[in-house]
Amino acid sequence: MNDEINMNDKINVMIVEDQAMPRQLFGAIVESCPKLRLVLSIDDAAIADICCARHEIDLVLMDVVTKNGASGLAAAEKIKAQNSRVKIIIVTSMPECSYVERARKIGVEGFWYKDFSREPILSLIERVLAGERVYPEETPSISLGLAESSEFTARELDVLREMTGGFTNAEIAEILGISEKRVRNHVTNMLEKTGFRSRTELAVRARETGLVIRDRNEEDL
């Protein structure tokens, strides 16, 4: 395969999305564009790199979390390692603040929030195919109890992310390389901001909103 996509040819597209309705919607959008060809639509990011190579895919639209929890970001890294010319757009409904940074590091060309982005996905696709790297200007702000997500510090979000993984304060301190006292202080501050009564409620609600998610495939990224 050549290093660059030939824009005079049809662009081979693969969709990786485990929810039926978004997958069908993305498929319809791709098929509505004359220069795009929908080659494959799958629900499992774990096989995305294999499918991409076999079908000579040019563009991938991929959710962050797919079937059985398979990570779209981990799949994107594998795809880029085997063929850097493949363009990838990550799509997600979860405002987890680390996803954008991780996508940039991998070399993903585009990032689109399903529920928050004002720009239509087709417009973003066209910009990416034209050579742009298209990312949101900021992470969507969501409510967590009495607080807005923008009220949390980066370190508080780090602690909160590990809390959603079920880790104790001592374990979080070891993971983040800070003191257990510092972890307790961060937890106390977040409880005061949100109005939640317990550490468990804080962690559960944070995970439900998608503000922070400790991906089980995180170590592969």
Side-chain angles (χ1 to χ4, degrees):
M1 299 174 72
N2 297 327
D3 291 338
E4 297 296 336
I5 295 174
N6 186 345
M7 294 301 292
N8 293 322
D9 297 331
K10 283 220 173 189
I11 307 300
N12 290 337
V13 180
M14 178 172 71
I15 295 169
V16 187
E17 167 65 67
D18 62 332
Q19 296 183 25
M21 188 172 294
R23 188 167 65 247
Q24 292 170 5
L25 176 60
F26 291 144
I29 290 171
V30 169
E31 291 178 331
S32 72
C33 183
K35 64 184 176 184
L36 302 179
R37 178 192 295 115
L38 180 59
V39 174
L40 201 61
S41 184
I42 62 175
D43 61 3
D44 190 353
I47 60 172
D49 60 318
I50 298 172
C51 294
C52 194
R54 285 183 178 176
H55 295 273
E56 296 192 344
I57 299 299
D58 301 307
L59 173 68
V60 181
L61 302 180
M62 184 152 53
D63 199 356
V64 169
V65 181
T66 66
K67 185 177 179 181
N68 298 323
S71 169
L73 288 168
E77 187 168 31
K78 290 179 181 179
I79 291 170
K80 283 295 186 182
Q82 73 183 14
N83 190 349
S84 61
R85 66 169 290 284
V86 177
K87 295 184 182 296
I88 302 174
I89 297 174
I90 292 293
V91 299
T92 184
S93 59
M94 296 177 289
E96 158 59 75
C97 55
S98 70
Y99 286 161
V100 170
E101 180 181 349
R102 287 155 64 183
R104 287 185 188 275
K105 185 177 179 180
I106 291 166
V108 166
E109 284 79 10
F111 198 102
W112 192 76
Y113 286 111
K114 297 176 185 176
D115 299 330
F116 303 98
S117 295
R118 295 182 180 180
E119 180 177 13
I121 184 65
L122 185 56
S123 172
L124 188 143
I125 290 172
E126 291 173 344
R127 291 174 63 190
V128 164
L129 291 176
E132 289 188 59
R133 288 187 179 270
V134 187
Y135 279 79
E137 294 182 359
E138 58 186 15
T139 302
S141 181
I142 61 171
S143 298
L144 185 63
L146 301 176
E148 292 297 314
S149 54
S150 57
E151 297 178 42
F152 296 98
T153 66
R155 182 53 88 184
E156 285 173 346
L157 291 173
D158 288 341
V159 170
L160 188 54
R161 186 176 297 107
E162 301 305 328
M163 287 171 59
T164 66
F167 294 99
T168 65
N169 286 350
E171 291 170 331
I172 293 172
E174 183 175 356
I175 292 169
L176 298 180
I178 59 178
S179 68
E180 187 175 351
K181 179 180 179 182
R182 181 68 61 83
V183 173
R184 288 198 302 270
N185 289 341
H186 286 312
V187 173
T188 297
N189 289 339
M190 288 188 286
L191 288 173
E192 291 177 352
K193 290 177 181 179
T194 60
F196 294 140
R197 295 183 178 182
S198 71
R199 185 182 187 281
T200 299
E201 184 181 13
L202 173 62
V204 169
R205 293 295 296 278
R207 179 63 179 82
E208 288 176 347
T209 62
L211 174 60
V212 286
I213 300 171
R214 196 180 195 280
D215 194 336
R216 66 182 180 84
N217 295 298
E218 199 169 45
E219 62 274 13
D220 298 328
L221 300 177

